[in-house]
Amino acid sequence: MDSAAPESPASPQVEAVVRAASDPSRVSGLTHDFYRYPARFSPQFARTAIEQFTAAGDLVLDPFMGGGTTIVEARARGRRAIGTDTSALAVFVARSKTTPLRATEAEAVADWIARQVREVRVSSPAGRRSEWATEGYHQNFSGPESWRIRKFLEIALDDIESLGGREEREFARLVLLRTAQWAVDARRHARGLSSFRDQLLPNFRSMVSSLQGFEHQRDRADREAEVEGGRLMLLQRRAEELAASRAIRSTSAPRLILTSPPYPGVHVLYHRWQIGGGKETPAPFWIAGVRDGAVAQHYTLAARENLDQYFDRHQEAFSSLAALCDRRTIMVQLIAFSNPDEQLGRYLESMERSGFQEAQIDGAPCTQRYWRDVPSRKWYSQQRGVTPASRELVLFHQLR
């Protein structure tokens, strides 16, 4: 942790959040390990920020929710939560992490997965070419081992409608998604089909157990907080559009915005896996049953070379967020830069133009620079070793 303004000691709340941000523990607990979403922050960081800056029943907003870490932690602690993202895959993952399964539904999914493991034979002739394949969602999923996993997924997903309800189908898709990611993503050589098959039922059992633990903790927290209607809202929206959303404007102002927006100048694949030593595939959207159809800068505000566009869109997005806030709202961000010396000042200027200033918490201005080293992150890029983006900055803002 670096400090550049020692004249004002940080408040205990800020110190607690900074300590949590520096926790090197692996992402785990509740439903957090259902899917490895790029650039996710730690549950400990999210949990601490929520506990320090909100009370039971308060509203927490994450406008770049990614894999839903903020949303899971907020709901598990009796807070109302709104999560939005421009990615349909992010919304699918966050919804699956927070949607309960009845015992009969879990049993139906278990039976379905067991049947796929038992009956699917990739040597069988393929059925008609699906629209997913025609639209390119199988791109590069064709290596010496990965094509067998793709073929298994094709056959299994053709049978997904035999599961009765949406919750069952989405949870089954998530089990397939998690297991396929484990088998092929960021690997030069995919795991074998037999390993993939063997992992499906263990993944299902551990995920059901984690989901039940989340449900129990969430329900207990809601009862204690007396939280009733409007407890969770998940939307596929660009952050720039949130101020115009009637559903969001009908809620109270968020007490906390906790998020990690795209990083200026940093290449992160939010919408692809890397497979076979670096080839990109949009297969996770196909497995989840949601559409992509967007280029990388749709998810990163701009191409990494186009910083002017990044900051134009950043200002538009955060101006939209400012319209949702009141004077009590605290915004906590984790942000990194490809060139901190050039980009940090510009980022803070964009925040000011959007209507925010660095927060005053317990009378202490949050103008110190709180950096943390990012533990064990796969950046899904051609960069290797320690880079400027291997360090993240914790920022605290409120309305000007």
Side-chain angles (χ1 to χ4, degrees):
M1 182 176 71
D2 298 338
S3 297
E7 70 280 358
S8 298
S11 75
Q13 290 172 295
V14 170
E15 289 181 345
V17 172
V18 171
R19 282 196 304 271
S22 303
D23 185 345
S25 301
R26 296 186 57 161
V27 173
S28 62
L30 297 175
T31 57
H32 293 301
D33 61 355
F34 279 16
Y35 184 73
R36 192 177 68 246
Y37 203 87
R40 58 187 177 167
F41 48 62
S42 76
Q44 179 63 34
F45 168 71
R47 183 180 317 132
T48 302
I50 290 165
E51 291 175 344
Q52 292 296 322
F53 295 120
T54 68
D58 283 345
L59 176 62
V60 177
L61 167 65
D62 188 345
F64 303 95
M65 70 176 170
T69 302
T70 294
I71 305 308
V72 171
E73 287 296 327
R75 291 298 301 119
R77 275 150 189 83
R79 276 59 166 176
R80 295 177 295 126
I82 297 175
T84 69
D85 203 286
T86 191
S87 170
L89 179 63
V91 176
F92 167 83
V93 170
R95 185 171 62 238
S96 301
K97 285 181 173 181
T98 53
T99 300
L101 277 182
R102 296 189 295 269
T104 54
E105 293 170 333
E107 184 178 353
V109 177
D111 290 344
W112 183 87
I113 292 173
R115 180 161 56 84
Q116 306 309 311
V117 170
R118 185 175 62 251
E119 297 181 1
V120 169
R121 295 291 177 266
V122 300
S123 58
S124 302
R128 64 179 180 83
R129 185 172 174 81
S130 74
E131 62 182 16
W132 295 98
T134 302
E135 294 173 17
Y137 285 89
H138 295 177
Q139 180 183 7
N140 293 324
F141 214 140
S142 55
E145 288 295 336
S146 62
W147 79 265
R148 294 179 173 85
I149 295 173
R150 188 206 70 227
K151 183 74 175 296
F152 181 103
L153 291 166
E154 286 183 85
I155 297 170
L157 289 170
D158 279 346
D159 187 53
I160 199 77
E161 294 299 322
S162 66
L163 285 167
R166 191 195 79 176
E167 290 81 4
E168 296 169 18
R169 293 192 295 271
E170 291 198 344
F171 197 79
R173 286 181 180 274
L174 188 63
V175 175
L176 295 175
L177 184 70
R178 179 188 183 185
T179 310
Q181 185 182 46
W182 167 84
V184 305
D185 184 29
R187 293 186 175 278
R188 185 169 296 277
H189 303 290
R191 298 180 189 269
L193 176 61
S194 61
S195 296
F196 172 81
R197 286 180 186 270
D198 291 345
Q199 194 66 29
L200 282 168
L201 278 171
N203 275 354
F204 165 78
R205 295 186 188 104
S206 68
M207 291 167 70
V208 166
S209 177
S210 296
L211 184 59
Q212 290 170 341
F214 164 75
E215 293 171 34
H216 176 74
Q217 186 168 330
R218 178 206 59 194
D219 291 346
R220 182 179 62 188
D222 281 351
R223 286 194 300 271
E224 292 174 354
E226 298 182 350
V227 174
E228 295 181 356
R231 291 172 287 187
L232 176 62
M233 185 187 304
L234 301 175
L235 300 173
Q236 185 184 357
R237 296 283 192 282
R238 296 168 57 200
E240 299 96 308
E241 301 169 343
L242 298 189
S245 169
R246 182 178 299 178
I248 294 177
R249 291 300 295 263
S250 67
T251 67
S252 60
R255 185 68 181 86
L256 173 67
I257 298 178
L258 177 60
T259 196
S260 186
Y263 303 161
V266 178
H267 178 58
V268 181
L269 287 180
Y270 295 101
H271 65 314
R272 298 286 190 270
W273 287 345
Q274 282 194 342
I275 189 170
K279 299 175 183 177
E280 296 179 10
T281 180
F285 287 84
W286 156 55
I287 300 168
V290 296
R291 298 289 173 178
D292 175 22
V295 294
Q297 52 263 37
H298 177 78
Y299 301 101
T300 57
L301 297 183
R304 55 181 159 176
E305 303 86 2
N306 194 342
L307 289 177
D308 288 341
Q309 183 184 21
Y310 174 91
F311 284 108
D312 286 345
R313 285 195 61 192
H314 178 274
Q315 183 176 340
E316 185 181 354
F318 279 77
S319 296
S320 179
L321 295 176
L324 301 175
C325 297
D326 63 19
R327 296 294 176 184
R328 297 174 65 244
T329 304
I330 297 293
M331 176 181 289
V332 181
Q333 300 177 72
L334 271 180
I335 185 72
F337 308 92
S338 61
N339 187 332
D341 291 340
E342 294 183 4
Q343 295 161 4
L344 172 56
R346 195 171 177 183
Y347 191 90
L348 294 174
E349 289 173 4
S350 182
M351 291 296 298
E352 289 188 8
R353 289 195 298 270
S354 301
F356 290 98
Q357 62 184 1
E358 290 190 89
Q360 292 253 357
I361 299 174
D362 290 342
C366 298
T367 54
Q368 300 185 53
R369 301 280 81 85
Y370 302 108
W371 294 92
R372 73 139 189 179
D373 292 325
V374 181
S376 304
R377 172 164 291 172
K378 296 181 186 296
W379 278 111
Y380 298 82
S381 71
Q382 299 303 313
Q383 298 173 338
R384 295 292 183 268
V386 177
T387 69
S390 298
R391 304 186 75 216
E392 289 176 323
L393 178 65
V394 187
L395 291 175
F396 302 83
H397 281 83
Q398 61 190 163
L399 288 180
R400 295 176 61 183

